Amino acid sequence: MTVQSPPPGLLVPDEAACAATVEQLRAAREPRVVVVGNPNVGKTTLINAVAGTRLKVGNWSGVTIEKREARLTHAGRSVYLLDLPGAYSLSPHTPEELITRTALLDEAPDAVINVLDAGNLERNLYLTLQLLDFRVPVAVALNLVDEARDKGLTVDPAALARALGVPVVETVASRSEGTGALLEQTLSRATLGIGVRYPEAIEAAVSDLTARMAELPTLPPHAHRYLALALLEGDPSVRGRLAATGHTPLLDAADAHLAALEVGGIDALIEIAEARYARAGDLARLAVPQAEARRTLSERLDRLALHPLLGIPLFLALVLLVFRLTFNVASPFVDLIGGPLQDTVSGWAAAALSWFPLARDLVVGAIIPGVGTVLSFLPTLLVLYLAMSFLEDSGYMARAAFLMDRAMRTVGLDGRAFIPLILGFGCNVPAVYATRTLERRSDRVLVSMILPFMSCSARLPVYVVFAAALFPRYGSWVVWALYVLGMVVAFAFALLLRRTSLPAEGDGVLLELPPYRFPAWKVLWKHAWRRTASFAKRARTTVLATVAVVWLLLALPAVAGGQFATVPPQDSLFGRVSQAASPVFAPLGFGNWQATGALVPGFIAKEVVVGTLGQIYLGEQAARPAPLGLLAGAHQALTATWDALKASVSAIPTVLALPHLGADTSAEAKTPLAAALARAFTPASALAYLVFVLLYTPCIATVGALAQEHGRRVAWTTVAYQLTTAWVAGFLVYQLAVRLL
C-alpha cells in the first residue's frame, strides 16, 4: 500500500490585513497593476483588451526583452498597467522569469493580475502560489475558458476563488469577454490570498528571517516572505542581490537555518517545491471536476503539422504562400509609391524649389528617389508582418520550432536556438541579443555567428525590386528560395563550427506547444504596424543620411575640369571609387560601378542598397522633373491609388495559382527602378547579386551587437567569413545560372 504524504497546510491571512489591503488599493490615486502569467496563456491578448491596445512598448533596462505598459482611465481614475514577460515560475531560469521576479520586487505593485489557462490549471497554479508569497493583492483571470470547454473541461471559478481567497474572473481575451469585470474586481476586491504553509521547521526559519528583514528598511516590505523562502531555496540571484546591497548578516542567518534543516534531514528546496506542487494539484482537482477530455482541434491538426515526413514540407509551403500573398497583394502599392506618388512629390518639390537649383537637385535627385524607393516597400513589409504575426499568434510558429528543433539537432544546435534564428528574419540585432537565453557560451557564439545569414527584413526590398525587374512571373519563388538558401548556409556553417572550434555539449530542451487560436485582427494589425513603422523610422534617419552622403559623393568631380553637381555620375568621386572596386565582382556577372557602389552603403544598413540603386539609376532623370501643380498632382495621386487598390484586390485569387498561372508584370507596368535594373542586369547576374546581398557582411548595427556580446574578434571574424562566403556563393550561382538560363 502506498502511503500518501499529508496535504500541505494553508496560510490564511488575518481579516484585518486583508481589509487594510483592499482599502489601500481602493484609495490609491493611480494604482500600479502588474499582469503576470505563464507563456501562451493569452496574457498579451488580455492586456490589449483591457488597455484598448494603448500600450507603450520599450525594453527592460539592460536587456532586449520587450516591456509593455499603459495608462488607462477606469471609473474616473488613472490606472498604470504593466505587462510582465511570460514566466513559469519566480525561481528564475530564463531572462523572462528573472525580469518578472525583479519587477515584482522593485515595481512596488498595488495589485497583481495573475492570468491562468483554464485548460492547464495545475501547471499554471505553481506560479500563482509563488505570487501569494508576496504581500500584494491578487486577482485571477481565468482565461481561455472557451478552449477548456472544447476539451470537455468545466472550471468552477467560485470554488477556485474560495480556495485561493482572491477574486477569480472568467475571461475570453480574444473576444474581450470578462475583461471589464476583471479590471473592476482587481481594483475593488483584490486581496491577500490563502497561501501554502510549509513544514514547521521551514516556517520557523521563514519567521526568523522575515523578523530580521523588518529591521532593514532597504528591503521591500511586501516581499519579505518571498525573499525568505528564496533564501531557503538557495536562489543564487536573490543571494547575489542581497550580497550586492550589503545584507551579509541576513545571508549568514539563512545559511545557519539551512545547516540546521540539513541536520534535521530536511531539504528546504525540495520540501517547498513539493508543497507548492501538491497544493496546485489539490486546487486544480477542486476547480475542475473529473471529466473525460475530448480530442481537441489542436491535437487533430498536429497530426498533420507535426508529421515526421510532412511537417517540414508543410512549413516550407506555408512560407512560400506567405511570400506569394506578400507579392501579389502588395506589388500594386509598391508600384504606386515608387511610380506615380514619387513622381507627384518630385513634381511638387521641383515647383517649390525652382528658385534654388542646388537644393532642388539634392531633394529631387537624391532624397526623393533614395528614400522614396525604400519607403515604396512599406506595403510589402506590412503584408509580410501581418502574415507572420498571424502564424505566430495562431500557435503555428511553436510547431515550426518543434519541427526545426529536430533538424537543428543534426547540426549540433540546441533547440532553443530556433527562437533567435526566427527573430533574425525580422532584424539581426535583437536576434543577437536574444542568444542570451542560451545557457552555454559556445551555443551563444555559434548562433550569433550564423544569425546574419538569416535574411532580415531590410534585405527584402532588394529582393522585391530585382524580382519585379528580372523575374516578374516567379518573384515569390525567387524570394522564397533566397530565404531557404540563407537557412541552409547557416546550418552548414553551424555544422562546420561544431566539428572544428565550437563542439556541441549538452542536453535536451522542453518546447511547449500552445493550442491553435484564431488571432484578433486588431492585435495583428498593431504588431504589423509597429514593425513597419520601425522600418520607416530607419528610412527617415539612416537612409536619409546615407543618400545625402552618396549625393555629395556623386556631386564631387574626380576629373580635372569637372564642376560640382554637374559632373556625370561615372566621373564623380563615388563613381570612380566604385569603378576601382568593380573588377572584384566581374566574375559574379555584375562588374559595373553602379551595382558595386550600391553594396558599399549596404554595410551601414541593408535597406540602403535599394535606396542607393534608386538614387544612381533614377537620380539623373529625376533631377529635372516637370513642375507639377497642387491640384494636378493630387488628381494624379488619387487616380493611381484607386488603380492600385483595384489591382491589389484582383490579385488575391492568384495567391494559390501555380507559377505559370500567376499575374505577370509587363515592362510597361514596372516601376522606373525595376525597368532600369532590367536593362542593367541579366537574370544570371541578378541572381548572383541577390545571393551576394543575402550573404555578405551584416550591417554595422549587427557587427556592434556581435562585438558587445562576444568581443571584437568574433564580430570581425563573422564579417570576414561572410564576405568570403557571399563572393564564392555569388560566383557559383552566376556560373550555374549562365549555363541554365
Side-chain angles (χ1 to χ4, degrees):
M1 182 177 69
T2 302
V3 178
Q4 295 183 345
S5 58
L10 302 180
L11 187 68
V12 182
D14 61 82
E15 294 184 9
C18 290
T21 301
V22 173
E23 186 59 33
Q24 182 179 1
L25 178 60
R26 289 175 176 171
R29 177 175 298 178
E30 186 183 69
R32 299 171 60 83
V33 180
V34 298
V35 184
V36 185
N38 287 187
N40 302 313
V41 297
K43 184 168 59 67
T44 299
T45 305
L46 177 74
I47 197 170
N48 275 296
V50 170
T53 71
R54 295 186 299 273
L55 293 178
K56 179 183 177 183
V57 179
N59 287 335
W60 293 94
S61 177
V63 294
T64 58
I65 296 172
E66 212 171 60
K67 69 184 292 188
R68 295 177 175 88
E69 54 189 15
R71 276 183 168 81
L72 56 143
T73 301
H74 178 78
R77 63 172 171 166
S78 180
V79 179
Y80 173 81
L81 203 60
L82 178 62
D83 181 19
L84 299 184
Y88 289 106
S89 78
L90 299 179
S91 303
H93 299 288
T94 67
E96 290 83 359
E97 291 175 346
L98 180 60
I99 287 171
T100 296
R101 200 269 301 282
T102 302
L104 287 168
L105 291 173
D106 296 343
E107 291 288 332
D110 294 298
V112 173
I113 295 177
N114 179 209
V115 185
L116 305 181
D117 179 354
N120 294 284
L121 275 183
E122 186 169 356
R123 184 194 66 193
N124 284 219
L125 284 165
Y126 187 91
L127 176 62
T128 305
L129 295 172
Q130 286 186 303
L131 291 172
L132 295 180
D133 287 327
F134 285 88
R135 195 178 179 86
V136 176
V138 174
V140 168
L142 195 61
N143 198 33
L144 305 175
V145 291
D146 53 337
E147 294 182 4
R149 295 189 191 107
D150 291 341
K151 295 179 181 180
L153 305 176
T154 302
V155 184
D156 185 349
L160 186 60
R162 288 192 297 271
L164 288 173
V166 300
V168 176
V169 180
E170 288 184 309
T171 61
V172 180
S174 61
R175 300 197 293 263
S176 299
E177 294 179 6
T179 54
L182 171 65
L183 189 58
E184 174 62 33
Q185 291 286 304
T186 300
L187 298 177
S188 62
R189 294 188 54 217
T191 185
L192 307 177
I194 300 172
V196 178
R197 182 181 293 278
Y198 303 100
E200 289 303 321
I202 293 177
E203 286 292 344
V206 169
S207 297
D208 177 65
L209 292 173
T210 54
R212 295 172 184 267
M213 292 179 194
E215 301 174 0
L216 302 172
T218 56
L219 294 180
H222 68 280
H224 287 175
R225 179 174 174 82
Y226 172 80
L227 290 173
L229 288 165
L231 286 174
L232 296 178
E233 291 177 289
D235 188 317
S237 58
V238 166
R239 293 184 63 88
R241 178 189 177 104
L242 294 176
T245 52
H247 294 99
T248 305
L250 187 61
L251 296 176
D252 293 338
D255 290 339
H257 283 298
L258 285 172
L261 290 170
E262 186 177 354
V263 170
I266 298 175
D267 187 321
L269 175 62
I270 293 177
E271 292 287 347
I272 292 171
E274 286 185 346
R276 287 175 181 152
Y277 279 121
R279 178 60 178 162
D282 291 345
L283 289 168
R285 287 186 290 273
L286 179 67
V288 184
Q290 293 299 318
E292 183 178 352
R294 296 191 293 266
R295 182 179 291 274
T296 64
L297 176 62
S298 291
E299 293 169 335
R300 294 194 293 270
L301 290 175
D302 279 343
R303 296 182 65 182
L304 176 63
L306 301 180
H307 193 279
L309 297 178
L310 300 178
I312 290 182
L314 176 63
F315 168 65
L316 295 176
L318 284 175
V319 174
L320 175 61
L321 183 64
V322 166
F323 287 129
R324 286 188 63 79
L325 175 69
T326 299
F327 270 76
N328 291 21
V329 174
S331 289
F333 291 100
V334 173
D335 298 341
L336 167 71
I337 299 174
L341 291 188
Q342 190 167 309
D343 292 342
T344 299
V345 175
S346 295
W348 284 342
L353 298 173
S354 58
W355 56 277
F356 195 172
L358 188 62
R360 181 197 59 198
D361 291 346
L362 172 61
V363 173
V364 178
I367 293 177
I368 292 177
V371 177
T373 300
V374 176
L375 292 179
S376 69
F377 295 98
L378 291 182
T380 301
L381 293 174
L382 182 61
V383 176
L384 176 66
Y385 287 143
L386 278 171
M388 296 303 292
S389 295
F390 182 87
L391 293 179
E392 292 170 5
D393 292 356
S394 67
Y396 180 75
M397 290 307 290
R399 274 76 183 173
F402 181 82
L403 291 168
M404 296 308 296
D405 175 58
R406 298 175 184 173
M408 286 191 294
R409 288 191 179 281
T410 64
V411 295
L413 278 174
D414 192 304
R416 285 165 288 193
F418 182 79
I419 302 303
L421 289 176
I422 284 295
L423 289 175
F425 285 125
C427 180
N428 291 163
V429 176
V432 170
Y433 289 124
T435 60
R436 295 174 181 176
T437 60
L438 304 179
E439 295 178 0
R440 292 174 293 274
R441 184 180 184 277
S442 63
D443 291 352
R444 295 194 294 270
V445 173
L446 185 147
V447 173
S448 295
M449 291 183 72
I450 67 172
L451 259 172
F453 288 128
M454 312 306 285
S455 189
C456 66
S457 60
R459 295 178 172 99
L460 185 60
V462 186
Y463 305 160
V464 172
V465 71
F466 272 88
L470 280 304
F471 313 100
R473 284 181 172 269
Y474 310 101
S476 57
W477 291 81
V478 170
V479 176
W480 174 79
L482 288 168
Y483 275 76
V484 172
L485 176 63
M487 296 174 64
V488 170
V489 173
F491 289 162
F493 268 92
L495 183 60
L496 176 64
L497 292 172
R498 277 302 190 212
R499 293 186 174 180
T500 54
S501 57
L502 295 169
E505 321 168 358
D507 50 8
V509 60
L510 178 64
L511 293 175
E512 182 184 2
L513 299 180
Y516 290 99
R517 299 173 182 131
F518 197 87
W521 288 111
K522 184 166 57 175
V523 175
L524 292 181
W525 177 260
K526 173 182 173 295
H527 291 168
W529 182 259
R530 177 163 49 85
R531 294 173 180 176
T532 307
S534 176
F535 183 90
K537 182 179 179 181
R538 292 200 301 271
R540 72 170 187 258
T541 53
T542 305
V543 178
L544 178 61
T546 304
V547 298
V549 171
V550 170
W551 175 83
L552 178 62
L553 295 176
L554 283 168
L556 290 172
V559 294
Q563 295 184 355
F564 182 80
T566 61
V567 64
Q570 63 271 20
D571 293 330
S572 67
L573 182 60
F574 184 88
R576 285 304 175 93
V577 172
S578 300
Q579 289 174 41
S582 59
V584 176
F585 300 99
L588 282 66
F590 52 89
N592 58 74
W593 72 268
Q594 296 96 330
T596 302
L599 292 173
V600 177
F603 183 68
I604 300 173
K606 290 295 181 288
E607 56 266 42
V608 177
V609 173
V610 74
T612 306
L613 286 170
Q615 187 175 353
I616 292 173
Y617 283 108
L618 305 181
E620 192 170 5
Q621 68 187 60
R624 299 288 188 273
L628 192 63
L630 182 62
L631 293 179
H635 179 267
Q636 175 179 299
L638 289 174
T639 302
T641 301
W642 176 246
D643 292 340
L645 181 61
K646 291 189 294 183
S648 179
V649 173
S650 64
I652 294 176
T654 68
V655 170
L656 297 176
L658 295 175
H660 64 282
L661 298 178
D664 193 6
T665 303
S666 64
E668 291 76 21
K670 292 175 181 175
T671 63
L673 178 58
L677 293 176
R679 294 189 295 269
F681 286 82
T682 66
S685 63
L687 284 176
Y689 196 80
L690 290 175
V691 169
F692 190 87
V693 170
L694 165 70
L695 301 178
Y696 89 117
T697 177
C699 68
I700 192 65
T702 302
V703 175
L706 286 168
Q708 180 182 352
E709 290 294 295
H710 309 298
R712 294 181 180 178
R713 181 180 177 183
V714 169
W716 293 113
T717 299
T718 303
V719 170
Y721 86 72
Q722 284 206 251
L723 274 173
T724 305
T725 302
W727 194 95
V728 172
F731 174 78
L732 294 175
V733 166
Y734 178 68
Q735 298 302 323
L736 181 63
V738 164
R739 289 162 175 77
L740 295 179
L741 297 179

